[in-house]
Amino acid sequence: MDRLITPKQKIVAAGIIGNVIEYYDFALIGFLAVMMGNLFFPSHDPFLSLLGSFGAFAAGMIMRPVGALIFGHIGDRVSRRTALMSSLIMMALPTFLIGFLPTYAQIGMMAPILLVLLRMIQGLSVGGEYASSIVYLVEQSSPNRQNLYGSFVSVGAKIGMAIGSGFCGALLWYIGADAMGEWGWRIPFIGSIVIAAAGLYLRQNLTDNYTPNDDKIVPIVAILRHHRREFWQFLSVASAIWVLYYTVFIYLPVWLEGSAGLSKVEAGQINTISIVVGVIFIPLMAMVADKIGSLRLMRLTAITLAISIYPLFFWMSIGGYWGALGGTIVLVILLCSFQSPIFASTVNALRYHGYRASFTAVILGSAAGIVGGVTPALMTSVTQLSGDPYAPSYIIAIASAIGWIVLRGVRV
């Protein structure tokens, strides 16, 4: 296999493979949310079952900042390679084991408890994996291609989501909804072992030019002491991005069923297509960012989102299948424009390499873990309690407007 890919291609593949696994799992949780809610959080109220399923998702995501602290510290103090190898193993195993979990009907309350515990272990490892791979790829790239290389992490994420969503959709079509709910849901989780094996192979001889420094101060302490302004600025912007991210790729399929009148199969098709669009546009928007500047692209996208998000949701709700598909594709392109520059920008916010892994890990881990992790449950609750199907668009508009205001004061 080494003869089939160049060293640079292997660096990129090794950098993104962990995110393929991570977002493969997230796609399964999103696609199977209603099904797993009924299996692990049974209730007479479908809303409560769905909320329980998204709650398990949130439990794992909330662990991301903890993992970010641990693996970010390992990346700064030991090596980037050690952080990447250990996080990959800790992330792949729980995904595989979920496929063997007994359901609530079989062991009662232990079923949701075990599911939440496995999700928390995943979240712990993901907190380090995502940022470690971003820092690794940006540091391995040339100065004029840092946004492109940083965006490959998100490409890996969307490839994972495309594989997960596509696999679930094909399996649902092949075996039917009844079989999927009884036993078929396990197959995608067990199948994750194939991607994990590929990841271990790619990372076993990973190139790592980073040399730890002899600085005695703990990186996160130094960051909060000397770089507070940069920390809160990038955390605010990243949070706005991940509110949109998890709305589009995790919550939106459920919204399309409940508020746009689409079937599960139609919503699943749109979700898979949107992920493929993301795979195409995230590197394209990253190249635009390399040309015109990261901050300029993010500012333009943030204000565009704040203005256009409500009309897009309205269009998706009344336009049937094609209106929902068109609106979703526009949302994905805007998301790619907003997200693609954040990776290299966050890494380069600090010139000192010895704090970069911790800085990037804690910011992205907190934004994706705490803010992004609770987003599907928040959107579900707000929509249900308000009775307003457009409530998610208000939250996204506010988050985007805050991101735009903050970005006006950022200098990288």
Side-chain angles (χ1 to χ4, degrees):
M1 184 173 176
D2 289 335
R3 296 179 181 179
L4 299 178
I5 60 176
T6 66
K8 278 291 185 184
Q9 290 172 335
K10 188 170 183 179
I11 285 172
V12 172
I16 71 172
I17 190 66
N19 297 284
V20 173
I21 298 172
E22 172 191 351
Y23 282 85
Y24 172 87
D25 172 73
F26 288 172
L28 302 190
I29 296 296
F31 194 98
L32 302 171
V34 175
M35 216 169 278
M36 294 189 72
N38 293 330
L39 290 168
F40 289 90
F41 304 92
S43 171
H44 296 298
D45 187 344
F47 164 68
L48 294 178
S49 293
L50 178 61
L51 193 60
S53 182
F54 280 144
F57 172 82
M61 296 296 288
I62 289 171
M63 290 299 292
R64 287 182 71 155
V66 181
L69 283 170
I70 296 171
F71 289 98
H73 186 84
I74 292 172
D76 283 331
R77 284 289 178 262
V78 183
S79 71
R80 312 297 198 218
R81 181 183 181 278
T82 302
L84 287 166
M85 284 296 291
S86 55
S87 63
L88 177 66
I89 294 170
M90 279 187 65
M91 183 169 48
L93 189 58
T95 303
F96 176 69
L97 292 177
I98 287 174
F100 295 95
L101 279 182
T103 64
Y104 186 94
Q106 295 170 314
I107 62 171
M109 279 299 298
M110 281 303 297
I113 290 172
L114 289 173
L115 176 62
V116 170
L117 284 174
L118 288 175
R119 289 290 303 145
M120 290 176 74
I121 296 171
Q122 284 175 314
L124 190 72
S125 58
V126 165
E129 167 64 35
Y130 196 69
S132 296
S133 55
I134 290 169
V135 174
Y136 176 76
L137 286 171
V138 170
E139 290 182 342
Q140 293 291 323
S141 69
S142 58
N144 63 337
R145 305 187 75 184
Q146 289 186 340
N147 281 302
L148 178 60
Y149 269 65
S151 75
F152 285 144
V153 171
S154 192
V155 172
K158 290 174 180 62
I159 289 172
M161 293 187 79
I163 295 172
S165 182
F167 189 12
C168 284
L171 193 62
L172 177 64
W173 172 80
Y174 184 71
I175 68 176
D178 291 339
M180 193 74 171
E182 291 175 10
W183 54 269
W185 65 271
R186 299 181 183 273
I187 295 175
F189 289 102
I190 297 172
S192 68
I193 197 68
V194 177
I195 307 174
L200 290 173
Y201 169 77
L202 287 168
R203 288 187 176 177
Q204 64 181 348
N205 295 313
L206 196 65
T207 300
D208 185 5
N209 299 323
Y210 174 73
T211 302
N213 59 73
D214 296 326
D215 193 350
K216 300 301 181 183
I217 190 170
V218 176
I220 190 60
V221 173
I223 290 165
L224 295 177
R225 184 179 297 170
H226 303 296
H227 302 284
R228 285 191 297 272
R229 178 182 174 84
E230 295 94 331
F231 179 84
W232 291 113
Q233 284 178 328
F234 280 89
L235 179 59
S236 299
V237 175
S239 295
I241 292 170
W242 265 270
V243 165
L244 178 62
Y245 190 100
Y246 286 107
T247 299
V248 172
F249 290 124
I250 300 296
Y251 173 72
L252 194 59
V254 176
W255 186 87
L256 290 174
E257 286 185 61
S259 299
L262 271 60
S263 68
K264 174 174 281 295
V265 172
E266 289 174 327
Q269 288 174 348
I270 289 175
N271 186 244
T272 301
I273 293 170
S274 70
I275 294 166
V276 173
V277 171
V279 171
I280 296 169
F281 274 88
I282 195 78
L284 290 179
M285 292 299 103
M287 287 188 283
V288 171
D290 280 327
K291 291 291 185 182
I292 71 171
S294 302
L295 296 178
R296 184 178 179 185
L297 181 59
M298 285 193 288
R299 288 175 189 137
L300 179 62
T301 306
I303 194 63
T304 302
L305 272 167
I307 295 169
S308 66
I309 189 67
Y310 176 82
L312 285 171
F313 266 76
F314 182 76
W315 178 22
M316 290 189 291
S317 70
I318 66 169
Y321 177 85
W322 295 106
L325 176 60
T328 302
I329 289 174
V330 173
L331 274 176
V332 172
I333 294 173
L334 287 170
L335 171 62
C336 291
S337 300
F338 206 2
Q339 188 186 45
S340 61
I342 193 65
F343 306 115
S345 297
T346 304
V347 174
N348 290 324
L350 299 184
R351 295 185 180 182
Y352 182 47
H353 287 230
Y355 300 156
R356 281 181 166 183
S358 296
F359 183 81
T360 306
V362 173
I363 287 174
L364 299 187
S366 298
I370 297 176
V371 180
V374 302
T375 292
L378 174 65
M379 296 300 187
T380 301
S381 300
V382 170
T383 303
Q384 176 75 14
L385 296 174
S386 69
D388 186 347
Y390 306 116
S393 70
Y394 310 149
I395 297 173
I396 294 170
I398 293 169
S400 300
I402 292 171
W404 177 72
I405 293 169
V406 173
L407 281 165
R408 294 182 66 189
V410 173
R411 299 290 182 269
V412 176

